[in-house]
Amino acid sequence: MEMSQNEKLDAARYIEADQAHVWHHLMQHQSFAGKGPMIAVEGKGLRITDINGREFLDATSGGVWCVNVGYGRDRIADAVCKQMKKMPYYAASGGNLPYIEFAERLTAYMPGLTRVYISNSGSEANEKAYKMIRALAHIKNRPEKKKVLYRDRDYHGTTIAALSSSGQQERKEWFGPFVPGFVQFPHACCYRCAFNKTYPGCDLDCAKAVETTILQEGPETVGGLIVEPITAGGGVIPPVAEYYQVVAEICRRDGVLLI
Ligand SMILES: Cc1ncc(COP(=O)(O)O)c(C=O)c1O
């Protein structure tokens, strides 16, 4: 994209202001020294244009994999604009039409599940799930059944409880102390089997380790178990086909909710 002299001056001003006032997550600020970060200005489909007029093919979907529908989608922008003007927000203490419509459509894909709670982020969704488990323990008069098991290598978010339940040491290093009540169990990565075995002769020890962990902790203290269906940030690890059937069966038996 060709830039005018004014736009070029503007770019320098924005980069300077960015360096002075913006806190960039995930990055060392010193890596921007002298040049500033890439400042995205416009997007269409898979392509983005930065403040200097350079065009990129964005293989990171917004830097953190969350613009999967692509940039510049008029249909989505128009629908959001229309709703913002009509009724931008009303808390779930009451109701609002888009929430109801979305919940109705989503539950059609979730056999056996009937209700939807919408949160602002993955971390917050997991925090909510942990609170549900604790609330349930309270309501059902099983005050100890509040622990949540999580799997080595899985990631569940950046807030302190979500990080407390994440199995990635390098992400946790600086941020303790963590929330009590979260217990790790072994990962399900065949390539580096935690039990030094080879599938299918392994007897699914990684799935059975869930049972061992529950028994070690005491089933009366374990209320939930959280997993990334396919571990992503800790290496892309799809467990073997039978893994989740075994884990789900153990959870059912011990009254542990699978998140
Ligand atoms: C599996 C999983 N859970 C939770 C999160 C946290 O989501 P958010 O960054 O929206 O808080 C992520 C984010 O990458 C994730 O991949």
Side-chain angles (χ1 to χ4, degrees), residues 28-51:
Q28 290 287 343
H29 287 82
Q30 63 197 23
S31 69
F32 301 136
K35 54 182 166 55
M38 191 281 289
I39 297 175
V41 173
E42 208 176 327
K44 194 81 198 155
L46 279 171
R47 293 172 190 279
I48 53 176
T49 306
D50 80 358
I51 199 162

Side-chain angles (χ1 to χ4, degrees), residues 65 120-124 126 155-158 228 232:
W65 318 284
N120 295 305
S121 67
S123 307
E124 198 186 326
N126 289 333
Y155 176 69
H156 298 298
T158 188
E228 277 189 82

Side-chain angles (χ1 to χ4, degrees), residues 4 19 21 37 49 53 89 91 136 147 229 236:
S4 70
Q19 300 283 271
H21 304 299
T49 306
Y89 178 78
L136 210 60
K147 285 183 194 164
V236 179

